[in-house]
Amino acid sequence: MHIDARSLAPEATYRLLSGIVVPRPIAWITTLSPTGVVNLAPFSCFTFVSNKPPLLGVNIGRKAGQRKDTGANIHASGEFVVNIGDGSQMVAIHESSAEHAPDVSEAALLGLGTAPSSAIAVPRLADAPVAMECRLERVIPFGDTGAEFFVGEVLAYHLRDGLLQDGKVDTLALDPVCRIGGPNYATLGRIVTLRGMQQTAKTVMASGGGG
């Protein structure tokens, strides 16, 4: 099958790409409205872009041409928290994507408790296994639909006790949730560990090979 990308409307392109670029991690973002309402929403166009300083990036589109509450709140305050939910919170992650008026707190509506952050005013989700307090570093617009790529510097990490082992997160214990196409989600499944690359590299160097 061949598809001319230029022939697709934005909605059709989204449906196609969201089923191809999988699995995607979910940034479960809390923000504060100008009136102090805690907004909560999941975004799966999410990654980290730098380790010094630690920078996270998330793409936030628009709804009917208007900024979503999350994007508007970040523009207004310059702060947000990226929470990472686990498998037990999958339904809440999905339900927090529903559209509500700006004066409705999705966290309160879903019965999700919050806790104060240490470096910013925006609260984090109290029961999320990981929360990262972020200060807005830059916003980069992309495309013709008003989508914006928000980059935030991580100022503080909150990790559930027992998750960190020798400086690394125990991924199985984290039990993260990922987004795939449509209203579909997944957890880790089987983990494959591959070893021996260092020995292979030494062998190649000794034999004079390499790129």
Side-chain angles (χ1 to χ4, degrees):
M1 173 183 252
H2 171 267
I3 300 173
D4 184 346
R6 295 167 297 182
S7 70
L8 297 178
E11 294 79 7
T13 299
Y14 175 80
R15 286 196 298 271
L16 182 62
L17 286 177
S18 63
I20 293 173
V21 185
V22 293
R24 298 186 305 280
I26 299 173
W28 207 10
I29 297 180
T30 45
T31 57
L32 270 181
S33 76
T35 58
V37 176
V38 179
N39 178 267
L40 174 66
F43 297 89
S44 62
C45 291
F46 161 58
T47 188
F48 73 88
V49 296
S50 169
N51 61 352
K52 186 176 177 61
L55 299 175
L56 301 178
V58 58
N59 184 75
I60 301 178
R62 300 197 181 209
K63 189 74 171 180
Q66 301 297 314
R67 283 195 179 105
K68 296 180 179 180
D69 293 342
T70 299
N73 291 344
I74 296 174
H75 269 285
S77 72
E79 299 178 344
F80 59 102
V81 178
V82 172
N83 303 275
I84 304 297
D86 62 21
S88 71
Q89 299 168 320
M90 187 184 298
V91 172
I93 291 171
H94 177 68
E95 291 183 347
S96 68
S97 65
E99 294 291 329
H100 295 287
D103 61 350
V104 173
S105 170
E106 291 83 359
L109 195 65
L110 296 170
L112 299 171
T114 60
S117 291
S118 61
I120 61 176
V122 179
R124 58 190 174 90
L125 292 179
D127 292 332
V130 174
M132 295 172 282
E133 302 178 24
C134 299
R135 177 185 296 138
L136 183 62
E137 199 267 349
R138 71 184 70 182
V139 181
I140 308 169
F142 282 100
D144 301 326
T145 61
E148 296 174 306
F149 190 67
F150 290 78
V151 177
E153 180 179 354
V154 180
L155 304 179
Y157 302 89
H158 301 267
L159 294 94
R160 181 180 292 163
D161 290 345
L163 273 185
L164 204 62
Q165 305 290 337
D166 297 323
K168 295 181 179 180
V169 171
D170 182 338
T171 312
L172 278 176
L174 175 59
D175 187 26
V177 176
C178 70
R179 181 78 185 275
I180 48 181
N184 300 303
Y185 300 81
T187 51
L188 283 178
R190 186 168 65 104
I191 294 178
V192 178
T193 301
L194 302 178
R195 302 188 185 280
M197 293 301 294
Q198 185 176 4
Q199 183 59 44
T200 301
K202 289 181 179 178
T203 302
V204 170
M205 290 175 65
S207 63

